[in-house]
Every structure is written in structure tokens, then in C-alpha cells.
Amino acid sequence: MTRVVSTSAANLAKKLYEAGIRHQGVLQAISQTPRELFLDNALAHKAYENTALPIGQGQTISQPYIVARMTELLLQTQPKKVLEVGTGSGYQAAILAQLVPELYTIERIKGLQIQARQRLKRLDLHNVTFKYADGWLGWPNRSPFDAIMVTAAAETVPEALLAQLTEGGVLVLPVGEETQQLLRITRQGDRFRSEVIEMVKFVPLIQGALA
Ligand code: SAH
């Protein structure tokens, strides 16, 4: 059983290599992570397809290519302390947790957060701290972060997240409504350099009240 799973995950990593992902650590983490653990049983057979899938509550687990691409972008500056906004299924967090020493992750839907926490524990990933809160505000009392990844689309770049970056720190996030751009923003003193990476499609980052 385990072998079948790892073969599928290894095949997924191979597909991502063919799609242009080159970071060895990212490809290895994908090939070692059972994505079906992050899905309902009814969808488990689709776990190793390169597509986004529903995870309940109107939310989605991101397409593996985009998980890999965002992780690759975030790792370029070798961050030690990383914040993820939008825990969702916990899959992106599981990939990141294998590649950075210290991960913080925020989710605004309690049920998703509880499930994600259980899944990471099952995978023996213990370097992740979870929070049930509005991620627009970041995590002020754990800041600053060397890198922040937002896995839901913000209408505009949240100021609080910029303020919580270390010098040289990077923020990777999708910005927009119907059409969204994946941006990488780098802090240089009081200035922020922004690069457009590619067009993407994410569920919205919701501001304010918790679900
Ligand atoms: N990284 C996730 C992707 C989940 S989809 C994964 O690997 O599965 C985006 C998630 O962002 C959803 O779970 C949604 O509830 C959450 N979200 C949306 N707005 C948020 C906010 N303001 N704060 C925290 N989480 C938010």
C-alpha cells in the first residue's frame, strides 16, 4: 500500500519536473508526501493528478504545480522562519515543513485547521505552529518572518504582511479577483520590489470575521 502511494507521488514529482520545476528539495518533498491523505476518500483516486480539488467549505487544495512553483520561489532566499496564510488541507504546509526549519500557518475555518493539524501530526511533521485567525493581519507577535506565502487571492497586498517581513524577506502571493497575478515581493529596507511570476487562479483571501 505504502509503496503504491509513493510510486504515485514520485510520478507526480516527475510530471512537475517536466512542467519546469527544478528545485530538488521541492521535487523530493512532493515525491514523499501522500497527497491522498489531504483529500476525502471519494477524491483520493485523483490525488496524484496535477489539478486543484475541493476540500469542503467551498475551499480547494491547490494544484500540485502551483504548490511546487510557489515553494520554489519562496525557498530562493533560504528562509528559516516562514508564515503560510491559508492552511486549508495542510498539503502546502506539509511540503514547506520538510524544507524550512520553522513554519507558522493561519486558517480562518476551524474545521479545516483541526484536520490539517491531525494530518501533519500523522506525517510526523512537528515544526509547524497553527493558528485560527484572520491571516490578513499576519501573526504580529511571531513576526518578523523571512518569507510569507499566501495561498488565497488577496484583492490588494495586505500591508500587515509587508510589515512582518525581515530585511530581504519575500512575500509570495496571488493578487486580483477574477484574474490574478502571482507576485513575489522582496523587502529592501523600507522599499518593496515586486515581480509578476505568472497568472493563477485561487479562492479569495477573505478579510475580517472568522468562519
Ligand atoms: N494551502 C492550502 C490551500 C487552501 S485554499 C492547501 O494546501 O490546501 C485557501 C485557504 O485560505 C482556505 O482554506 C481558506 O479558508 C483560507 N483563507 C481565506 N481567507 C483567509 C484569511 N483571511 N485568513 C486565513 N485563511 C484564509
Side-chain angles (χ1 to χ4, degrees):
M1 182 65 190
T2 314
R3 186 174 297 163
V4 174
V5 167
S6 64
T7 305
S8 312
N11 282 340
L12 175 60
K14 212 172 127 202
K15 278 189 238 166
L16 297 181
Y17 178 83
E18 285 158 12
I21 302 299
R22 287 292 180 271
H23 191 290
Q24 277 309 313
V26 173
L27 292 168
Q28 196 177 352
I30 300 263
S31 72
Q32 286 171 356
T33 306
R35 190 166 178 255
E36 78 277 8
L37 189 70
F38 297 84
L39 292 163
D40 283 345
N41 288 341
L43 286 171
H45 66 289
K46 293 194 174 176
Y48 299 102
E49 291 176 15
N50 188 16
T51 52
L53 291 165
I55 56 170
Q57 315 254 10
Q59 306 305 319
T60 52
I61 182 172
S62 306
Q63 183 195 13
Y65 168 79
I66 209 72
V67 170
R69 186 77 185 108
M70 288 173 80
T71 308
E72 199 173 61
L73 287 166
L74 182 127
L75 291 176
Q76 273 172 11
T77 51
Q78 299 184 314
K80 302 264 180 300
K81 189 175 167 192
V82 174
L83 173 67
E84 178 198 23
V85 175
T87 315
S89 68
Y91 180 73
Q92 172 74 73
I95 299 297
L96 280 170
Q98 295 171 64
L99 296 162
V100 304
E102 213 180 329
L103 179 66
Y104 296 81
T105 183
I106 308 179
E107 171 57 54
R108 67 179 287 282
I109 299 177
K110 190 76 187 170
L112 292 178
Q113 192 221 8
I114 292 169
Q115 269 184 323
R117 192 197 289 269
Q118 288 166 349
R119 287 163 176 157
L120 268 70
K121 203 171 158 199
R122 250 182 88 178
L123 292 177
D124 264 333
L125 296 169
H126 302 292
N127 55 340
V128 185
T129 311
F130 294 82
K131 183 175 175 164
Y132 169 59
D134 177 7
W136 263 96
L137 308 172
W139 196 329
N141 60 5
R142 295 296 178 106
S143 71
F145 300 96
D146 302 315
I148 301 177
M149 180 191 290
V150 183
T151 63
E155 281 176 30
T156 56
V157 179
E159 290 290 328
L161 298 184
L162 294 175
Q164 290 171 34
L165 286 174
T166 54
E167 171 61 28
V170 294
L171 170 61
V172 176
L173 84 170
V175 175
E177 291 175 59
E178 273 311 297
T179 56
Q180 304 159 7
Q181 291 182 323
L182 181 64
L183 302 182
R184 177 173 53 187
I185 300 174
T186 308
R187 178 169 207 160
Q188 293 169 334
D190 288 336
R191 303 186 50 165
F192 296 91
R193 184 166 56 89
S194 182
E195 297 157 85
V196 179
I197 307 296
E198 58 190 275
M199 300 308 290
V200 288
K201 184 83 190 123
F202 276 84
V203 295
L205 183 70
I206 296 166
Q207 192 170 4
L210 292 176

